[in-house]
Amino acid sequence: MSPLLDAPDEPAWFDAVTQIAGKWGFDRVLIALLPRPGMRLEDAYLRSTYSPTWRRTYQEQGFMHIDPTITHCLTRSTPLLWTSELFTTRAQRALYEEACLHGLRSGVSLPIHGPNQEAGMLCFANGFRTTDEFWQRIDGVLPNLVLLRDVVVDTSRRHLHTHTQSVLPQLTPRERECLNWTARGKSTWEISHILSCSEAAVNFHVKNIRAKFGVNSRRAAAVIATQLGLIDPD
């Protein structure tokens, strides 16, 4: 694990993960993490050696919303060994058939539930047909995979922070104040008096806030901002 612990930057860090996985017989690796509660699946921190074409197809088709490996990893803590039998609905079978075309036939997904409320998965896969030898290999290396998962979580923090800053809405100080008071149930008129500005100014900031969060109401924006830790209305 020392290359992972000593990696000077993100490329070296992920390269260390893939090299360790390769030594254990896996030719595909994926790390997907939601750094904070409330973040969309589409905004997850993602690094993988999966085919770029597959990643693009997966994103465009919205497969993350029907993928049983994601459902498992967001709701369970135990490792998931997956093959074709896991994909039961018509949409899931189409997902799996497409994945096979890109070298993903079987593997193991380890849920991530980090100490700072991170959620996600670390996946190891290969493009070979499932055999008894493959499952025996899984049994032999699974404890090591679990240890690697924990080290990945601990060493990923600075990379997650950089990613989080790039995808979270960037609020001005005044927008943050308006959101805080909105979360406390204050009206436009009340906020304008609290902040010593006009109602038009408050509405201007609120309009920008709604656009940044992609929602139609200020209260929806306030709920999301609270979940993401951008404001603290208490």
Side-chain angles (χ1 to χ4, degrees):
M1 301 288 178
S2 57
L4 189 59
L5 296 169
D6 299 334
D9 53 32
E10 186 184 38
W13 174 78
F14 183 62
D15 186 57
V17 177
T18 60
Q19 288 188 25
I20 294 171
K23 291 178 181 178
W24 293 338
F26 300 98
D27 59 1
R28 304 286 191 279
V29 180
L30 176 138
I31 300 170
L33 279 167
L34 292 170
R36 298 186 185 183
M39 291 184 70
R40 304 183 311 153
L41 293 177
E42 291 83 354
D43 291 332
Y45 171 87
L46 180 66
R47 296 294 180 271
S48 82
T49 58
Y50 291 5
S51 159
T53 304
W54 166 240
R55 291 302 317 157
R56 185 165 55 252
T57 299
Y58 190 94
Q59 188 82 10
E60 291 173 352
Q61 296 296 322
F63 283 152
M64 72 284 294
H65 297 293
I66 62 168
D67 189 340
T69 66
I70 290 183
T71 301
H72 176 94
C73 289
L74 290 178
T75 58
R76 306 285 296 276
S77 296
T78 54
L80 173 69
L81 307 181
W82 53 267
T83 58
S84 60
E85 289 76 13
L86 179 66
F87 302 83
T88 56
T89 69
R90 178 180 298 179
Q92 289 173 348
R93 288 195 295 272
L95 183 165
Y96 180 73
E97 290 170 3
E98 187 73 26
C100 288
L101 295 176
H102 293 88
L104 298 167
R105 292 184 176 277
S106 55
V108 54
S109 295
L110 290 87
I112 292 175
H113 300 285
N116 297 312
Q117 296 187 289
E118 305 95 336
M121 61 202 300
L122 176 59
C123 301
F124 304 90
N126 72 39
F128 305 105
R129 294 191 179 278
T130 307
T131 64
D132 290 341
E133 181 182 356
F134 172 75
W135 292 122
Q136 289 172 5
R137 181 192 305 157
I138 291 281
D139 288 341
V141 302
L142 190 55
N144 290 333
L145 295 180
V146 172
L147 174 60
L148 177 59
R149 186 264 315 271
D150 294 342
V151 175
V152 164
V153 173
D154 281 348
T155 55
S156 68
R157 291 175 184 172
R158 59 176 172 146
H159 312 313
L160 288 182
H161 176 74
T162 300
H163 172 78
T164 300
Q165 296 308 306
S166 71
V167 298
L168 289 183
Q170 300 301 306
L171 301 174
T172 67
R174 191 58 108 183
E175 288 169 353
R176 200 178 300 274
E177 288 178 322
C178 288
L179 262 183
N180 259 311
W181 288 114
T182 295
R184 296 179 184 181
K186 301 299 182 182
S187 66
T188 298
W189 182 86
E190 290 172 318
I191 295 173
S192 70
H193 280 71
I194 292 170
L195 301 181
S196 299
C197 63
S198 67
E199 291 185 58
V202 173
N203 287 330
F204 171 79
H205 293 306
V206 168
K207 180 180 178 181
N208 289 338
I209 290 167
R210 292 202 311 268
K212 289 181 179 182
F213 283 91
V215 295
N216 295 321
S217 76
R218 67 181 69 187
R219 299 199 182 280
V223 169
I224 295 172
T226 302
Q227 291 174 335
L228 294 175
L230 296 175
I231 61 173
D232 184 8
D234 295 331

